[in-house]
Amino acid sequence: MEWAVFLVAAALALAGAVGVVAARAPVHSALALLVVLAALAVTYLLLAAQFIAVLQVIVYAGAIVVLFLFVIMLLHAHSGEGPTEKLPRQRRAAALLAALYLVVLLGGVLAAAGPFGPLPAGFGTAQQVGEALFLTYLLPFELASVLLLVGIVAAVVLGRRPEGPSGGTG
C-alpha cells in the first residue's frame, strides 16, 4: 500500500515539477509548485515524519506559495509574455545541460544505493527538527532566509514600472 501511495505522490511531484518549468503563466507555475509541495508532504508522511509534513504544508505550501503569488500579482506578470529567445540554440543547450545533470544525479543515486538502516529514534519529530534548525543548521537556515528576502526585494525593484514624465509611477 505504501508503494502505491509513494508512486502516486512521486508521479504528482514530477508532473508538478514539469508544470513549474513548462507553464507560460507565472501563476500556473506557482500552482504547479503547490502540487509539488503537497506531494512532498505526502512522502514525508510515508516516512513517519508527521511534523515535517505539517511544516511542509503550513510553511511552504501555505506561506511561500502565497508569497510567490503576491509577488506575481504585484509585478502584474499574470498576463505572461511571449517566449523570447535572446540566444540562438539556448533550448538545445538547456536540454543538453539538463540531460547531463540527470546523468550525474542518477549516477550519484545509484552510487549511494544500498541497504538503508532504520531511521533514528525521534526522526521527524518537533524536537529533532528544532535541534537541527537552531543548532546544527542555524547559519545555512538564516542565510537561506536572507537570500529569499533579497530575491523578493530584487524582484519587486526590477519589476517596477519606470517613472512617467509626471514623476509618478505608472
Side-chain angles (χ1 to χ4, degrees), residues 2 42-53 119 122-125:
E2 288 181 358
V42 170
T43 57
Y44 290 139
L45 284 176
L46 289 175
L47 291 172
Q50 294 88 1
F51 182 70
I52 295 175
L119 295 174
F123 176 77
T125 62

Short mmCIF file of all heavy atoms in Angstrom, two decimals, residues 2 42-53 119 122-125:
data_model
loop_
_atom_site.label_atom_id
_atom_site.label_comp_id
_atom_site.label_asym_id
_atom_site.label_seq_id
_atom_site.Cartn_x
_atom_site.Cartn_y
_atom_site.Cartn_z
N GLU A 2 1.96 1.24 0.80
CA GLU A 2 2.82 2.42 0.86
C GLU A 2 3.47 2.69 -0.49
O GLU A 2 3.66 3.85 -0.86
CB GLU A 2 3.88 2.24 1.94
CG GLU A 2 3.35 2.32 3.34
CD GLU A 2 4.44 2.17 4.37
OE1 GLU A 2 5.62 1.98 3.99
OE2 GLU A 2 4.13 2.24 5.56
N VAL A 42 3.15 14.41 1.38
CA VAL A 42 2.68 13.01 1.44
C VAL A 42 3.86 12.06 1.61
O VAL A 42 3.79 11.11 2.40
CB VAL A 42 1.86 12.67 0.18
CG1 VAL A 42 1.57 11.18 0.11
CG2 VAL A 42 0.57 13.47 0.16
N THR A 43 4.96 12.33 0.92
CA THR A 43 6.12 11.45 1.08
C THR A 43 6.71 11.57 2.50
O THR A 43 7.20 10.58 3.04
CB THR A 43 7.22 11.76 0.05
OG1 THR A 43 7.59 13.12 0.16
CG2 THR A 43 6.73 11.46 -1.35
N TYR A 44 6.65 12.75 3.07
CA TYR A 44 7.10 12.88 4.46
C TYR A 44 6.22 12.07 5.39
O TYR A 44 6.69 11.47 6.36
CB TYR A 44 7.12 14.34 4.90
CG TYR A 44 8.21 15.15 4.25
CD1 TYR A 44 7.96 16.45 3.82
CD2 TYR A 44 9.48 14.64 4.07
CE1 TYR A 44 8.94 17.20 3.22
CE2 TYR A 44 10.47 15.38 3.47
CZ TYR A 44 10.19 16.67 3.06
OH TYR A 44 11.17 17.42 2.46
N LEU A 45 4.92 12.04 5.12
CA LEU A 45 4.03 11.22 5.93
C LEU A 45 4.38 9.74 5.80
O LEU A 45 4.29 8.99 6.77
CB LEU A 45 2.58 11.47 5.53
CG LEU A 45 1.96 12.78 6.02
CD1 LEU A 45 0.56 12.94 5.47
CD2 LEU A 45 1.96 12.83 7.54
N LEU A 46 4.76 9.34 4.61
CA LEU A 46 5.15 7.94 4.42
C LEU A 46 6.42 7.60 5.20
O LEU A 46 6.64 6.44 5.55
CB LEU A 46 5.37 7.65 2.94
CG LEU A 46 4.11 7.62 2.09
CD1 LEU A 46 4.46 7.45 0.62
CD2 LEU A 46 3.18 6.51 2.54
N LEU A 47 7.26 8.59 5.45
CA LEU A 47 8.48 8.38 6.23
C LEU A 47 8.23 8.51 7.73
O LEU A 47 9.19 8.54 8.50
CB LEU A 47 9.56 9.38 5.80
CG LEU A 47 10.14 9.18 4.42
CD1 LEU A 47 11.04 10.34 4.04
CD2 LEU A 47 10.93 7.88 4.38
N ALA A 48 6.96 8.64 8.11
CA ALA A 48 6.57 8.81 9.51
C ALA A 48 7.13 10.09 10.11
O ALA A 48 7.44 10.16 11.29
CB ALA A 48 6.97 7.60 10.35
N ALA A 49 7.27 11.11 9.29
CA ALA A 49 7.73 12.42 9.75
C ALA A 49 6.55 13.38 9.69
O ALA A 49 6.48 14.26 8.83
CB ALA A 49 8.90 12.91 8.90
N GLN A 50 5.63 13.19 10.61
CA GLN A 50 4.40 13.98 10.59
C GLN A 50 4.66 15.47 10.80
O GLN A 50 4.02 16.31 10.16
CB GLN A 50 3.42 13.47 11.67
CG GLN A 50 2.91 12.09 11.43
CD GLN A 50 3.80 11.01 12.01
OE1 GLN A 50 4.83 11.30 12.62
NE2 GLN A 50 3.42 9.76 11.81
N PHE A 51 5.59 15.79 11.67
CA PHE A 51 5.85 17.20 11.94
C PHE A 51 6.41 17.90 10.71
O PHE A 51 6.02 19.03 10.38
CB PHE A 51 6.82 17.34 13.12
CG PHE A 51 7.10 18.76 13.50
CD1 PHE A 51 6.13 19.55 14.08
CD2 PHE A 51 8.34 19.32 13.26
CE1 PHE A 51 6.38 20.86 14.41
CE2 PHE A 51 8.61 20.63 13.59
CZ PHE A 51 7.62 21.40 14.17
N ILE A 52 7.32 17.24 10.01
CA ILE A 52 7.88 17.84 8.80
C ILE A 52 6.80 17.97 7.73
O ILE A 52 6.76 18.96 7.00
CB ILE A 52 9.07 17.01 8.31
CG1 ILE A 52 10.19 17.06 9.35
CG2 ILE A 52 9.59 17.53 6.98
CD1 ILE A 52 11.37 16.18 9.02
N ALA A 53 5.89 17.01 7.65
CA ALA A 53 4.79 17.10 6.69
C ALA A 53 3.90 18.30 6.99
O ALA A 53 3.50 19.03 6.08
CB ALA A 53 3.99 15.81 6.69
N LEU A 119 15.50 4.21 10.63
CA LEU A 119 15.55 5.63 10.95
C LEU A 119 15.91 5.80 12.43
O LEU A 119 15.52 4.98 13.27
CB LEU A 119 14.20 6.28 10.67
CG LEU A 119 13.79 6.30 9.20
CD1 LEU A 119 12.37 6.82 9.06
CD2 LEU A 119 14.75 7.16 8.40
N GLY A 122 13.16 9.33 16.99
CA GLY A 122 12.79 10.75 17.00
C GLY A 122 12.90 11.42 15.66
O GLY A 122 12.80 12.64 15.58
N PHE A 123 13.09 10.65 14.59
CA PHE A 123 13.20 11.23 13.26
C PHE A 123 11.91 11.94 12.88
O PHE A 123 10.83 11.36 12.95
CB PHE A 123 13.51 10.15 12.23
CG PHE A 123 13.55 10.65 10.81
CD1 PHE A 123 14.65 11.34 10.35
CD2 PHE A 123 12.48 10.46 9.97
CE1 PHE A 123 14.70 11.82 9.06
CE2 PHE A 123 12.51 10.94 8.67
CZ PHE A 123 13.62 11.61 8.22
N GLY A 124 12.02 13.20 12.50
CA GLY A 124 10.86 13.96 12.05
C GLY A 124 10.02 14.55 13.14
O GLY A 124 9.00 15.17 12.88
N THR A 125 10.46 14.42 14.38
CA THR A 125 9.68 15.00 15.47
C THR A 125 10.00 16.49 15.58
O THR A 125 10.99 16.97 15.03
CB THR A 125 10.00 14.31 16.80
OG1 THR A 125 11.39 14.52 17.08
CG2 THR A 125 9.70 12.82 16.74
#
